[in-house]
Amino acid sequence: MASTRWSRRRARKAVQRGLTRFDVRLRSACPGIGFTARITATVLTEPPYPSPVEEITGAVRTTLRDAASKVSKMCDPADLASARDACGQHLARVRQLPTDPPVEFTAKLTLDLLPDDRAAVAALLAAQRRQAVTDILRRQKTDALALELADPAALLARWIERDNTDWSQLPRFADEANTIAEVFARHRPEDERSVEHEAVEVLREFLASFPDHTQKRMLYTLLAAGMDSAHRPHHAAKAQALVNGHAPAERGAES
């Protein structure tokens, strides 16, 4: 009996020695940048084990490496704290080896970045910041230019300001300015790409499809009546004022 108890204790210690602080290189969500992890596993099942100690420890290490890799490759190396939490929580789960009987184990890990990986993360973040600034400036320029050229008069002014303008082409270009301006008018900045802005565009196109002043007057009158029925008197006042071709004064609209 004493010999059996001693052999079990010896087997348990041998397993723990094989699972204490083994290092793993893990991929991150950024190609070329990885984590370095130190894992310590704890076998919960008491001896005797269904396989030799070397097979048990090897299988546990392989399982934990695979488990850590599945999580780490979805982690951002620039957010090391979140990566530590995600990988740590995942490895802390109780797992089983498919042996008979099964061997249960759990683990904890420490996660970090090697100096080269830290330098790569810093370089990546700097490049992302530069690209973000470039993208923002480009969008601002595009939005401002589209807003300006949505006005046919502004489009004509741009055309006239060109060097070597052929003034004989002005009548033809003036006829085309409205069509070209319509194309620019369809552009919407990102902060205006909502359902409400799309609804405004649909309403604008609908109203523009009735060129006759009498028709427009009737449409604006109906619009004002609908707003008034919806208990929006200030909006109804603005719509009613459009019938006469001008916007209502803000003070009068709010009263």
Side-chain angles (χ1 to χ4, degrees), residues 114-155:
L114 294 175
D116 287 348
D117 292 306
R118 288 185 181 274
V121 169
L124 179 61
L125 290 176
Q128 288 175 341
R129 292 188 188 101
R130 290 193 298 269
Q131 186 62 48
V133 171
T134 300
D135 292 344
I136 290 172
L137 292 176
R138 183 173 62 249
R139 285 196 298 268
Q140 288 179 343
K141 182 178 180 180
T142 299
D143 294 345
L145 184 62
L147 179 62
E148 177 187 356
L149 299 185
D151 182 351
L155 193 61

Side-chain angles (χ1 to χ4, degrees), residues 15-253:
V15 166
Q16 281 307 127
R17 281 198 301 270
L19 298 177
T20 300
R21 295 191 299 276
F22 61 95
D23 295 331
V24 184
R25 174 71 176 176
L26 301 172
R27 290 185 299 165
S28 75
C30 297
I33 301 177
F35 301 103
T36 180
R38 177 160 289 182
I39 300 175
T40 298
T42 300
V43 173
L44 304 177
T45 303
E46 293 293 333
Y49 300 119
S51 303
V53 169
E54 293 77 8
E55 291 184 15
I56 295 295
T57 56
V60 170
R61 287 196 297 268
T62 299
T63 301
L64 291 173
R65 286 191 185 100
D66 292 343
S69 179
K70 288 179 181 179
V71 178
S72 70
K73 65 185 179 182
M74 297 184 290
C75 295
D76 183 355
D79 188 358
L80 190 55
S82 295
R84 285 170 174 161
D85 289 343
C87 292
Q89 291 170 8
H90 189 63
L91 260 65
R93 299 175 184 173
V94 176
R95 290 177 166 78
Q96 291 183 342
L97 292 180
T99 54
D100 186 20
V103 175
E104 292 189 339
F105 59 95
T106 184
K108 60 181 180 180
L109 90 165
T110 58
L111 197 72
D112 211 335
L113 294 170
L114 294 175
D116 287 348
D117 292 306
R118 288 185 181 274
V121 169
L124 179 61
L125 290 176
Q128 288 175 341
R129 292 188 188 101
R130 290 193 298 269
Q131 186 62 48
V133 171
T134 300
D135 292 344
I136 290 172
L137 292 176
R138 183 173 62 249
R139 285 196 298 268
Q140 288 179 343
K141 182 178 180 180
T142 299
D143 294 345
L145 184 62
L147 179 62
E148 177 187 356
L149 299 185
D151 182 351
L155 193 61
L156 281 171
R158 284 283 189 129
W159 184 83
I160 292 171
E161 288 173 351
R162 296 185 310 164
D163 293 334
N164 303 319
T165 299
D166 185 356
W167 287 85
S168 65
Q169 297 295 319
L170 180 59
R172 180 191 62 80
F173 187 78
D175 291 339
E176 296 175 354
N178 284 326
T179 302
I180 297 173
E182 281 287 333
V183 175
F184 285 107
R186 295 191 186 99
H187 171 78
R188 286 290 177 271
E190 287 189 6
D191 58 348
E192 293 185 8
R193 295 172 188 173
S194 64
V195 175
E196 289 79 8
H197 284 92
E198 291 294 332
V200 170
E201 182 64 22
V202 171
L203 182 59
R204 187 192 66 79
E205 291 179 359
F206 174 72
L207 295 173
S209 67
F210 294 90
D212 184 72
H213 179 72
T214 302
Q215 293 175 324
K216 287 186 182 296
R217 185 181 183 88
M218 178 188 66
L219 290 172
Y220 283 118
T221 299
L222 290 173
L223 182 61
M227 292 175 173
D228 192 55
S229 297
H231 306 292
R232 299 294 186 273
H234 56 293
H235 291 104
K238 290 181 179 181
Q240 188 61 45
L242 292 175
V243 174
N244 300 321
H246 62 82
E250 286 298 321
R251 188 178 301 276

